[in-house]
Amino acid sequence: MMKKEKVEKIYSLMLLIRRTEEKLLELFSRGLLNGTVHTCIGQEACAVGVMEVIDKEIDIIFSNHRAHGHFLAYSEDVYGLLAEVIGKKSGLCGGIGGSQHLHKKNFYTNGIQGGMVPIALGAAKAEKFKGSNAIVIVFLGDGTMGQGVVYESLNIASLWSLPLLFILEDNHYAQTTPKKLAHAGSFCQRAKAFDIQTEHIKVDDVLKLINVADNAVRYVRENKKPFFLHMETYRFSPHSKGDDYRNAEEIAKFKLEDPLIKLEKELSKEKVKEISENIDNMLLSILNSINNDNEMSLEELLILNN
Amino acid sequence: MMKKEKVEKIYSLMLLIRRTEEKLLELFSRGLLNGTVHTCIGQEACAVGVMEVIDKEIDIIFSNHRAHGHFLAYSEDVYGLLAEVIGKKSGLCGGIGGSQHLHKKNFYTNGIQGGMVPIALGAAKAEKFKGSNAIVIVFLGDGTMGQGVVYESLNIASLWSLPLLFILEDNHYAQTTPKKLAHAGSFCQRAKAFDIQTEHIKVDDVLKLINVADNAVRYVRENKKPFFLHMETYRFSPHSKGDDYRNAEEIAKFKLEDPLIKLEKELSKEKVKEISENIDNMLLSILNSINNDNEMSLEELLILNN
Amino acid sequence: MKICDEINTVLFEMMQNNREVILIGEDILDPYGGAFRITKGLSSSFPERVLTTPISEATIAGMSIGMALRGLYPIAEIMFGDFITLCMDQLLNHASKLKPMYNGNVVVPMIMRTPMGGGRGYGPTHSQSLEKHFLGIPFIDIVAVSLFHNVKRIFLNAYNRRRPVIIIENKLLYPMELFISSNDEVFIENMLTETGYCDVIIKNYINNTPDILIVTYGGVSRFLKTILRKMIEEEIRVVSVIIGQISPISRKSISLINTYANQCGKVLILEEGSKEFGWSAEIQGIIENRDIIINRLGSVNTIIPSNKKLEEQVLINEEKIINNILEMIRI
Amino acid sequence: MKICDEINTVLFEMMQNNREVILIGEDILDPYGGAFRITKGLSSSFPERVLTTPISEATIAGMSIGMALRGLYPIAEIMFGDFITLCMDQLLNHASKLKPMYNGNVVVPMIMRTPMGGGRGYGPTHSQSLEKHFLGIPFIDIVAVSLFHNVKRIFLNAYNRRRPVIIIENKLLYPMELFISSNDEVFIENMLTETGYCDVIIKNYINNTPDILIVTYGGVSRFLKTILRKMIEEEIRVVSVIIGQISPISRKSISLINTYANQCGKVLILEEGSKEFGWSAEIQGIIENRDIIINRLGSVNTIIPSNKKLEEQVLINEEKIINNILEMIRI
Ligand SMILES: Cc1ncc(C[n+]2csc(CCOP(=O)(O)OP(=O)(O)O)c2C)c(N)n1
Ligand SMILES: Cc1ncc(C[n+]2csc(CCOP(=O)(O)OP(=O)(O)O)c2C)c(N)n1
Ligand SMILES: [Mg+2]
Ligand SMILES: [Mg+2]
């Protein structure tokens, strides 16, 4: 792919994620959504950068509560995601899972911080056992580095040489808790102490990130060994909905480094407009269509009990 | 205290621990003990070295399943310990706890690997909050470094600057599992990654160990900060009773470095004989006396439910 | 006052009156004050005594035990009751065990409080009522906040018990107003148990014998006001006993339940979680008179879906309860 | 064959017949073969497929789930049932949830097996029967090995179920010989449930109606042979139903229990753990006929002490069961 096409593609995906989540927040504020959503507005580069370099046919992703971006970058299944969050039978999981509990193909999320890490480890063991060439990617937030199972898993991933890529998506906050109130020492050192190779990157340029992620993915695939990639990023949106007590200046400062805007500069105004309109139109038509979809019935739900 | 007196004292304590545990194993093989015992034969220096330098009036100890040595070095209460393991009402815990569940004054153990670590952390927080000068010591084995709560606790101990001394009593095995089948990387690095100071020592000379432990204890007390002390040691006895599959040569090799024998060389034959006879006599008379002690009744036990 | 404010207020009072009370949990500092804002204001008033932690539930439990052991009185918040699974080892193998296994020589006075329950569309891992899996652990009190309980007394009594207490707060109760004095439709009475907690009796009649006894606890109490009123229209006399200490069941609660059960001949036991191996099974077991008709109702024993309508159908609700009452009366 | 060898043998066969079966647990390699030697020989036969782990129970559970999700069939050993507390989050919020919350699009076929129970003097944290705290989790089978169950069939059926199964093994059963064919005092019959597990019926009489029904599961079965024989001397006809799948209770088990309950009029429900909020409460609840006299018996709801005599007094035992039977018969 030529550089320009690639930039267009990456930009489109990032914008798709942003617009989709903005739409979700809008639906939310209009009272049309149930439950909660955690958006990744500002962090799209992390999702897109990683998914760009994996092998989507075989690789396996474990994500968390803040998964919309990961999911869209993995599958581009906007319909399935929106229908799921809105609660329709046509959603990825029939509306049962909702925003935090997503699955399609090799993509899995759950709402318990850290809980998916040992599961990803088991998946990596399974792939290695089967002799497949797949690798497993697990996303975790800075806050989630508080959970003990993460360290149990770092240890075993290294001990057993498993093809597991840990991606620490460090947005400086866990809910309302800034990193410095939750963590001592260094994240990379924590992985290194288990003899795992690490890399740290500040996510302001998605193209740079793609390179770094690519190296990480290759390392894991070729060496059948874990790798720990620490991405420093920032979310512009609140943790879920109204729960934002961060300093406005801080947010503004980070917005100046928005990787989406940075990338936009590489494209023509017209192209940007075109992409943006396409996305908006697509979202509108998808939402219209979802509107007419059915919801699952209790009878259908209870079939699962068998 | 003069060097010679000190050596005598240290030696006596170490021998007391060894003889007591040998006695327990003997009772066991004669079918006179119920349950299980984990002896620390070969590791006595760790217990004695640490207890020698703490402030027994105020400091707080959390130990584990292999606690007889720690306990005797802490309290010298042979009667209470033996009566407990034998199951008498006169035991430390009335015979309820048995070998793995001991308590006296500021000394606590439990049989769940790693479970006491966050509890020790809470105790350290309490002491700091109260403004006391006490420090908390928590013993853990190499195998126990597999438990996630240990890392949760390392993080918080460092983050909150708590007076907690982690003592990793690394005897190279967890039950039958050698370290290399259970751990990647380095133990000290794991603590350092949380910004905790560490030190590693091979335990062959108890006097050297005392110095190192003394520095660690002072550091924690003076700085109100955690410290991680990695002691490499070896147990000559099986994990609990008959479950020993280690290489006989390996055991023999380590026995050559037995810190107890090493220390013995600093004492006269007569002195050693005297100390040894005193201990044996004491153990005999204690066991005789315990023989006549009562066991707790169900009624007494159930009073605890109120 | 709203129940969330009641809890907030009693926490404030406990901290003010007892210097050893410490709050610990995730995101509990001001200005946020916890995911359900229960600790709002407290870290401003007592900055040294409100400890926000990393996301480390097992260690929150463990640290609380350690602080309790060494003379403090920790009150831990687990952000969602669904995460109490991560505390199980600390609660069951440590908090409950230290006192008895050390022959009574230590105490572990502490509270762990946590919001349970669904109805907010949070989906499978943020909507459960998991208390049933902790019932029957000896040496731990499990207590539930209800619409009719004096919240303050629950907390103060827990404090006086000098042992680990788990307080279950149904999250749907938080925005509701406590309802503790009778009006002209619902008559409320408190019964003190031997452990110092209260059971609450509410009736929709004054004299006369009741037709049916409802036994429940916690969040299910939110339905009772309406149900009792509707049953007046149906001329069904309902007495409801809302248990405070749900495990272990106190002797007083047992005799209270039996007394009314004997009067009514019909007992409906309700719980927020699924009834399979739940609280209601044990309650059924303590009813002595074999001539009594007993029914149990809880939420459907399945996943709690995110979809709003489906979630409503899975959870226990007013309609299901009323249908159950009417069916039982018609037998 | 001893029960420990039965389990060992079926594990061997499963591994031999199914390349995707993986064992995982602590200290399970040869020559040790696990703390109770259940996996002895297996790592020698299948070195790549027996995974000894660090002391990381939560991750043992989580890894098993991940392997199951990706096409393997893990059989995890938790060394002592007391440590299953550390797996609760993985079992309840992950293993049980993935299939239903993903709308049935994945399966999590796996076994977690663990020894429960006391009687060996191991003290408070190594002697418990904690299964009661896991009963009623939807989407997980909980099954118990007994003296009378075809152990092999339990494991093979678990395998066929393509879902998470927890197998409870009372450690006192390990050295005992399986007892699965009738002799001239005890008559044994198997009843298949709709989920493919078996309940076992044992009787101390041939014709005639029974006087009392005993319902139990797992380790308590070790007392039954002797008790049934002793009851012959007392001329008491006892039928005992030993449930295989203890949660969720199958429809067939329910009707089996009810059938015999109706014949006897008296039912004694026994469990190894304490009965408070235990298995027996739910069993009591499923008995429909209100004229039936029901008793429940378990271990005393307190700490399990190390002292041998005290431990015996706390745990359920033959004498307590017999006294209970005699009392019930005399009513
Ligand atoms: C075990 C567990 N504890 C607490 C929570 C509540 N919770 C949801 S998101 C969150 C913060 C997560 O922070 P981080 O890992 O940094 O991810 P981010 O939200 O920043 O993407 C918390 C505490 C949870 N879901 N699971
Ligand atoms: C949570 C938990 N898992 C497993 C065990 C069983 N167990 C008891 S001791 C032991 C080995 C501990 O090894 P280590 O920490 O190195 O201490 P050591 O026995 O060598 O002193 C194990 C696995 C336990 N007691 N608790
Ligand atoms: Mg974060
Ligand atoms: Mg060791």
Side-chain angles (χ1 to χ4, degrees):
Chain A
M1 196 159 23
M2 288 179 46
K3 170 94 195 273
K4 201 173 128 239
E5 277 171 42
K6 183 165 172 180
V7 168
E8 275 177 35
K9 183 189 153 205
I10 299 292
Y11 178 76
S12 300
L13 250 179
M14 285 174 67
L15 191 68
L16 174 68
I17 295 172
R18 183 157 308 180
R19 286 279 179 277
T20 305
E21 292 205 311
E22 285 170 350
K23 191 51 92 181
L24 284 173
L25 287 176
E26 181 200 322
L27 291 175
F28 216 103
S29 62
R30 284 163 54 205
L32 298 174
L33 274 194
N34 197 25
T36 191
V37 278
H38 305 90
T39 62
C40 70
I41 294 172
Q43 305 182 198
E44 299 88 349
C46 302
V48 173
V50 172
M51 296 305 163
E52 181 63 20
V53 297
I54 66 166
D55 182 342
K56 289 187 189 168
E57 288 306 310
I58 57 171
D59 290 344
I60 302 161
I61 321 291
F62 288 87
S63 168
N64 53 19
H65 62 297
R66 199 177 301 287
H68 303 161
H70 306 148
F71 179 73
L72 290 177
Y74 173 75
S75 74
E76 296 181 42
D77 181 0
V78 184
Y79 198 111
L81 177 67
L82 285 177
E84 182 61 31
V85 179
I86 291 170
K88 299 293 185 143
K89 197 169 148 178
S90 53
L92 295 171
C93 303
I96 299 172
S99 165
Q100 296 198 75
H101 315 92
L102 302 176
H103 166 253
K104 180 173 181 166
K105 240 184 98 187
N106 287 350
F107 186 96
Y108 311 88
T109 80
N110 197 8
I112 304 292
Q113 298 310 320
M116 283 307 226
V117 180
I119 297 179
L121 184 74
K125 174 68 195 174
E127 294 309 314
K128 183 168 178 180
F129 179 80
K130 291 185 282 182
S132 94
N133 202 29
I135 73 164
V136 178
I137 292 102
V138 61
F139 286 93
L140 55 168
D142 50 292
T144 304
M145 291 296 287
Q147 286 290 8
V149 276
V150 173
Y151 303 89
E152 298 187 358
S153 298
L154 286 168
N155 183 35
I156 296 175
S158 176
L159 187 70
W160 294 359
S161 279
L162 297 183
L164 178 53
L165 174 54
F166 293 87
I167 296 194
L168 171 55
E169 201 170 341
D170 168 6
N171 59 9
H172 300 85
Y173 288 87
Q175 204 142 335
T176 63
T177 303
K179 229 173 6 176
K180 71 171 190 311
L181 285 188
H183 295 289
S186 134
F187 289 138
C188 279
Q189 290 302 328
R190 296 186 192 178
K192 276 203 186 111
F194 294 96
D195 217 0
I196 292 178
Q197 282 225 29
T198 68
E199 173 132 18
H200 169 270
I201 178 175
K202 235 180 127 255
V203 180
D204 45 9
D205 177 345
V206 66
L207 299 175
K208 207 174 80 193
L209 175 68
I210 287 174
N211 272 333
V212 170
D214 192 36
N215 285 337
V217 164
R218 273 174 209 279
Y219 173 90
V220 173
R221 201 181 312 278
E222 281 162 21
N223 299 287
K224 299 259 177 289
K225 272 189 176 181
F227 191 92
F228 184 90
L229 180 51
H230 178 182
M231 298 179 172
E232 248 186 87
T233 178
Y234 198 81
R235 67 172 153 74
F236 303 149
S237 48
H239 168 70
S240 54
K241 297 153 294 169
D243 43 0
D244 204 348
Y245 295 94
R246 291 172 304 173
N247 185 308
E249 273 169 42
E250 179 187 287
I251 302 177
K253 196 195 87 198
F254 276 98
K255 278 195 174 163
L256 293 179
E257 293 173 26
D258 184 351
L260 184 68
I261 305 289
K262 178 158 187 171
L263 195 62
E264 194 174 296
K265 291 185 184 135
E266 311 242 337
L267 297 172
S268 67
K269 283 242 163 64
E270 296 71 42
K271 194 69 205 172
V272 166
K273 189 157 174 255
E274 181 198 322
I275 293 175
S276 171
E277 283 176 3
N278 284 344
I279 290 177
D280 289 345
N281 291 336
M282 178 178 79
L283 285 173
L284 272 186
S285 95
I286 286 178
L287 284 170
N288 270 334
S289 169
I290 288 176
N291 240 339
N292 301 318
D293 289 347
N294 290 329
E295 299 181 27
M296 189 180 271
S297 71
L298 184 61
E299 292 66 42
E300 288 168 309
L301 179 74
L302 292 183
I303 289 171
L304 294 171
N305 277 48
N306 298 332
Chain B
M1 196 161 20
M2 287 179 46
K3 169 93 195 274
K4 196 170 133 245
E5 277 171 43
K6 186 165 169 180
V7 168
E8 275 177 33
K9 181 186 156 211
I10 299 292
Y11 177 78
S12 301
L13 250 179
M14 284 174 66
L15 191 67
L16 173 69
I17 295 172
R18 183 157 305 182
R19 287 277 179 279
T20 305
E21 291 205 312
E22 285 169 348
K23 191 51 94 181
L24 283 173
L25 287 176
E26 180 200 321
L27 291 176
F28 216 102
S29 60
R30 284 165 53 206
L32 297 174
L33 274 194
N34 197 23
T36 190
V37 278
H38 305 91
T39 61
C40 71
I41 294 172
Q43 305 180 197
E44 299 88 350
C46 303
V48 173
V50 172
M51 297 306 164
E52 180 65 19
V53 296
I54 67 166
D55 182 340
K56 290 187 188 168
E57 288 306 309
I58 57 171
D59 290 344
I60 301 161
I61 321 291
F62 289 87
S63 168
N64 52 19
H65 61 298
R66 199 177 302 287
H68 303 163
H70 306 149
F71 179 73
L72 290 178
Y74 173 77
S75 75
E76 297 180 42
D77 181 0
V78 184
Y79 199 111
L81 176 67
L82 285 177
E84 182 60 30
V85 178
I86 293 170
K88 299 293 186 142
K89 197 169 150 180
S90 52
L92 295 171
C93 302
I96 300 171
S99 164
Q100 295 197 76
H101 315 93
L102 303 175
H103 165 252
K104 180 172 181 167
K105 239 184 102 189
N106 287 352
F107 186 95
Y108 311 88
T109 80
N110 198 8
I112 305 290
Q113 299 309 321
M116 283 307 228
V117 180
I119 297 179
L121 184 74
K125 174 68 196 172
E127 294 309 313
K128 184 170 178 179
F129 178 82
K130 291 185 283 182
S132 95
N133 202 31
I135 73 166
V136 178
I137 293 103
V138 61
F139 285 92
L140 55 168
D142 49 294
T144 303
M145 292 296 286
Q147 286 290 9
V149 278
V150 172
Y151 303 88
E152 299 186 359
S153 297
L154 285 168
N155 183 34
I156 297 175
S158 176
L159 187 71
W160 293 359
S161 280
L162 298 182
L164 178 55
L165 175 55
F166 293 87
I167 297 194
L168 170 54
E169 201 169 340
D170 169 6
N171 59 9
H172 302 84
Y173 288 87
Q175 204 141 335
T176 63
T177 302
K179 231 177 358 180
K180 71 170 189 310
L181 286 187
H183 295 289
S186 132
F187 290 137
C188 279
Q189 291 302 328
R190 297 187 191 177
K192 276 202 186 110
F194 295 96
D195 220 0
I196 293 177
Q197 284 225 30
T198 68
E199 173 133 17
H200 169 269
I201 178 175
K202 234 180 129 257
V203 180
D204 45 10
D205 177 345
V206 65
L207 299 176
K208 207 173 80 195
L209 175 69
I210 287 174
N211 272 333
V212 171
D214 191 36
N215 285 336
V217 163
R218 273 175 209 280
Y219 173 90
V220 173
R221 200 181 315 276
E222 280 162 21
N223 299 286
K224 300 261 176 287
K225 273 190 175 180
F227 191 92
F228 184 90
L229 180 51
H230 178 182
M231 298 179 173
E232 250 187 86
T233 178
Y234 198 83
R235 66 172 153 73
F236 303 147
S237 48
H239 169 69
S240 52
K241 294 153 292 168
D243 44 1
D244 204 347
Y245 296 94
R246 292 172 303 174
N247 186 307
E249 275 168 41
E250 179 187 289
I251 302 178
K253 195 195 89 196
F254 275 99
K255 277 195 174 163
L256 294 179
E257 293 173 27
D258 183 352
L260 184 67
I261 304 290
K262 178 161 187 164
L263 195 63
E264 194 174 295
K265 292 185 184 135
E266 312 241 337
L267 297 172
S268 66
K269 283 240 165 63
E270 298 68 42
K271 194 72 206 170
V272 167
K273 187 154 175 259
E274 179 197 326
I275 292 175
S276 171
E277 283 175 1
N278 283 345
I279 289 176
D280 290 343
N281 291 337
M282 178 178 78
L283 284 173
L284 273 185
S285 95
I286 286 179
L287 284 170
N288 270 335
S289 168
I290 287 175
N291 240 340
N292 302 320
D293 288 347
N294 289 330
E295 299 180 30
M296 189 180 270
S297 71
L298 184 63
E299 293 64 44
E300 287 168 309
L301 180 74
L302 292 182
I303 289 170
L304 294 171
N305 279 47
N306 298 331
Chain C
M1 196 156 44
K2 287 181 186 166
I3 290 184
C4 57
D5 298 325
E6 295 276 352
I7 302 173
N8 179 269
T9 306
V10 67
L11 291 178
F12 179 86
E13 288 181 22
M14 288 171 83
M15 294 190 83
Q16 194 160 54
N17 296 336
N18 310 285
R19 221 194 86 81
E20 87 283 13
V21 172
I22 302 279
L23 302 193
I24 180 167
E26 295 164 11
D27 293 290
I28 61 176
L29 296 188
D30 287 337
Y32 190 54
F36 294 91
R37 321 296 154 106
I38 301 299
T39 57
K40 216 173 168 64
L42 300 176
S43 69
S44 302
S45 303
F46 309 100
E48 302 296 314
R49 289 160 60 198
V50 180
L51 311 177
T52 200
T53 70
I55 308 178
S56 312
E57 283 81 4
T59 292
I60 291 173
M63 272 198 289
S64 301
I65 297 168
M67 289 193 276
L69 210 50
R70 300 302 307 175
L72 304 187
Y73 191 91
I75 303 181
E77 170 172 297
I78 299 299
M79 191 189 281
F80 280 78
D82 308 71
F83 316 148
I84 201 173
T85 49
L86 290 158
C87 306
M88 192 192 210
D89 183 66
Q90 285 296 331
L91 291 171
L92 190 149
N93 281 325
H94 297 83
S96 88
K97 296 257 180 313
L98 298 187
K99 177 188 162 192
M101 84 185 182
Y102 296 157
N103 198 14
N105 293 325
V106 306
V107 287
V108 184
M110 62 176 275
I111 287 173
M112 173 175 284
R113 38 168 297 277
T114 192
M116 293 282 186
R120 303 265 302 245
Y122 292 153
T125 60
H126 286 63
S127 308
Q128 302 167 89
S129 293
L130 297 182
E131 58 271 25
K132 75 173 181 183
H133 298 293
F134 292 80
L135 304 173
I137 302 178
F139 306 101
I140 290 190
D141 291 353
I142 307 185
V143 190
V145 167
S146 87
L147 195 67
F148 302 96
H149 273 86
N150 184 324
V151 169
K152 198 166 158 177
R153 263 163 71 173
I154 289 180
F155 277 80
L156 296 182
N157 192 61
Y159 177 79
N160 289 331
R161 295 273 289 159
R162 313 311 296 158
R163 68 180 64 197
V165 180
I166 302 175
I167 299 186
I168 306 295
E169 303 167 359
N170 186 300
K171 52 175 90 79
L172 294 180
L173 292 179
Y174 285 144
M176 296 183 176
E177 295 284 328
L178 207 60
F179 188 85
I180 48 172
S181 9
S182 308
N183 64 16
D184 41 353
E185 283 177 327
V186 183
F187 310 97
I188 300 183
E189 212 179 312
N190 279 280
M191 278 294 273
L192 199 67
T193 69
E194 72 274 16
T195 51
Y197 299 107
C198 272
D199 295 330
V200 182
I201 304 158
I202 68 172
K203 300 176 179 174
N204 68 352
Y205 61 94
I206 302 189
N207 292 316
N208 221 325
T209 53
D211 300 309
I212 186 166
L213 166 64
I214 291 179
V215 185
T216 190
Y217 72 87
V220 175
S221 63
R222 70 190 179 277
F223 303 116
L224 292 180
K225 244 193 315 176
T226 315
I227 290 175
L228 262 64
R229 197 179 46 238
K230 288 192 179 166
M231 291 305 101
I232 296 180
E233 292 159 23
E234 304 279 336
E235 301 194 355
I236 298 173
R237 287 183 297 275
V238 182
V239 55
S240 181
V241 171
I242 304 148
I243 302 294
Q245 181 187 340
I246 63 173
S247 173
I249 304 281
S250 75
R251 284 192 307 277
K252 282 271 176 77
S253 299
I254 294 176
S255 81
L256 184 67
I257 291 171
N258 276 296
T259 304
Y260 281 112
N262 287 333
Q263 285 179 27
C264 299
K266 293 177 181 174
V267 181
L268 177 58
I269 313 170
L270 304 175
E271 64 188 305
E272 185 75 31
S274 60
K275 71 175 195 294
E276 285 75 11
F277 297 99
W279 183 77
S280 60
E282 182 72 22
I283 298 300
Q284 165 158 34
I286 61 167
I287 295 177
E288 283 151 18
N289 184 335
R290 288 180 298 113
D291 292 332
I292 287 168
I293 297 175
I294 304 176
N295 249 335
R296 292 158 55 193
L297 182 66
S299 298
V300 181
N301 198 23
T302 188
I303 194 94
I304 300 179
S306 293
N307 174 289
K308 197 177 165 70
K309 276 190 218 141
L310 263 185
E311 186 187 21
E312 269 167 26
Q313 289 175 282
V314 164
L315 297 180
I316 191 169
N317 61 34
E318 189 186 305
E319 191 190 333
K320 293 185 200 175
I321 300 173
I322 289 182
N323 288 342
N324 231 291
I325 295 176
L326 295 179
E327 257 172 49
M328 289 182 76
I329 293 294
R330 283 188 200 125
I331 296 174
Chain D
M1 200 157 40
K2 285 181 187 167
I3 290 184
C4 56
D5 298 326
E6 294 275 352
I7 302 173
N8 179 268
T9 305
V10 67
L11 292 177
F12 180 85
E13 288 180 23
M14 290 172 82
M15 295 191 82
Q16 194 160 52
N17 297 333
N18 310 285
R19 221 193 87 79
E20 87 283 13
V21 171
I22 302 279
L23 301 193
I24 180 168
E26 295 163 12
D27 293 291
I28 60 176
L29 297 188
D30 288 335
Y32 190 54
F36 293 92
R37 321 296 154 107
I38 301 298
T39 57
K40 214 171 170 66
L42 300 176
S43 68
S44 301
S45 303
F46 309 100
E48 301 297 314
R49 290 158 61 198
V50 180
L51 311 178
T52 200
T53 71
I55 308 179
S56 310
E57 284 80 6
T59 291
I60 291 173
M63 273 199 286
S64 301
I65 296 168
M67 290 193 274
L69 210 49
R70 301 302 307 175
L72 304 187
Y73 192 91
I75 303 181
E77 169 172 298
I78 298 299
M79 190 189 282
F80 280 76
D82 309 70
F83 315 149
I84 201 173
T85 49
L86 290 159
C87 306
M88 190 189 211
D89 183 64
Q90 285 296 331
L91 292 171
L92 190 149
N93 282 326
H94 297 83
S96 88
K97 296 252 179 319
L98 298 187
K99 176 187 163 193
M101 84 185 182
Y102 296 158
N103 196 14
N105 294 324
V106 305
V107 287
V108 183
M110 61 175 274
I111 288 173
M112 174 175 282
R113 39 168 296 279
T114 192
M116 293 280 185
R120 303 264 301 244
Y122 292 153
T125 60
H126 286 63
S127 309
Q128 302 168 89
S129 293
L130 297 182
E131 58 270 26
K132 76 174 182 181
H133 298 293
F134 292 79
L135 303 173
I137 301 178
F139 306 101
I140 291 190
D141 292 352
I142 307 184
V143 189
V145 167
S146 87
L147 196 66
F148 302 96
H149 273 85
N150 184 323
V151 169
K152 199 164 158 179
R153 263 162 73 172
I154 289 180
F155 277 78
L156 296 182
N157 192 61
Y159 177 77
N160 289 329
R161 295 274 289 159
R162 315 310 297 158
R163 69 181 62 197
V165 180
I166 302 175
I167 300 185
I168 306 294
E169 304 166 359
N170 186 301
K171 53 174 89 81
L172 294 182
L173 292 179
Y174 286 144
M176 295 185 179
E177 296 283 329
L178 206 60
F179 188 84
I180 49 172
S181 6
S182 307
N183 63 17
D184 42 352
E185 282 178 329
V186 182
F187 310 98
I188 300 184
E189 211 180 314
N190 278 279
M191 279 291 276
L192 200 66
T193 70
E194 71 275 15
T195 52
Y197 298 107
C198 273
D199 295 331
V200 182
I201 304 157
I202 68 171
K203 300 177 180 174
N204 67 354
Y205 61 96
I206 303 188
N207 292 314
N208 222 325
T209 52
D211 300 310
I212 186 165
L213 167 64
I214 292 179
V215 185
T216 190
Y217 73 87
V220 175
S221 63
R222 70 188 179 277
F223 302 117
L224 292 179
K225 244 192 316 176
T226 315
I227 290 177
L228 262 64
R229 197 179 46 236
K230 288 195 179 164
M231 290 305 103
I232 295 180
E233 292 158 24
E234 303 279 337
E235 301 192 356
I236 298 173
R237 286 183 297 277
V238 182
V239 54
S240 180
V241 171
I242 304 147
I243 301 292
Q245 181 187 339
I246 63 173
S247 172
I249 304 283
S250 75
R251 285 190 307 277
K252 282 271 177 75
S253 299
I254 295 178
S255 80
L256 184 67
I257 292 170
N258 275 295
T259 304
Y260 281 112
N262 286 332
Q263 285 181 26
C264 300
K266 292 178 179 173
V267 182
L268 176 58
I269 313 170
L270 305 175
E271 65 189 304
E272 185 76 31
S274 60
K275 71 175 196 294
E276 286 75 11
F277 296 100
W279 182 77
S280 60
E282 182 71 22
I283 298 300
Q284 165 157 38
I286 61 167
I287 295 177
E288 283 150 19
N289 184 336
R290 286 179 298 110
D291 291 333
I292 288 168
I293 297 174
I294 304 176
N295 249 334
R296 292 159 54 195
L297 181 67
S299 297
V300 180
N301 198 24
T302 187
I303 194 94
I304 301 180
S306 294
N307 173 288
K308 197 177 167 71
K309 276 191 218 141
L310 263 184
E311 186 187 23
E312 270 166 26
Q313 289 175 284
V314 164
L315 297 179
I316 190 169
N317 61 34
E318 188 187 305
E319 189 190 335
K320 292 184 199 174
I321 300 173
I322 289 181
N323 288 341
N324 231 290
I325 295 175
L326 296 179
E327 258 172 47
M328 289 182 76
I329 293 294
R330 283 186 199 126
I331 294 175

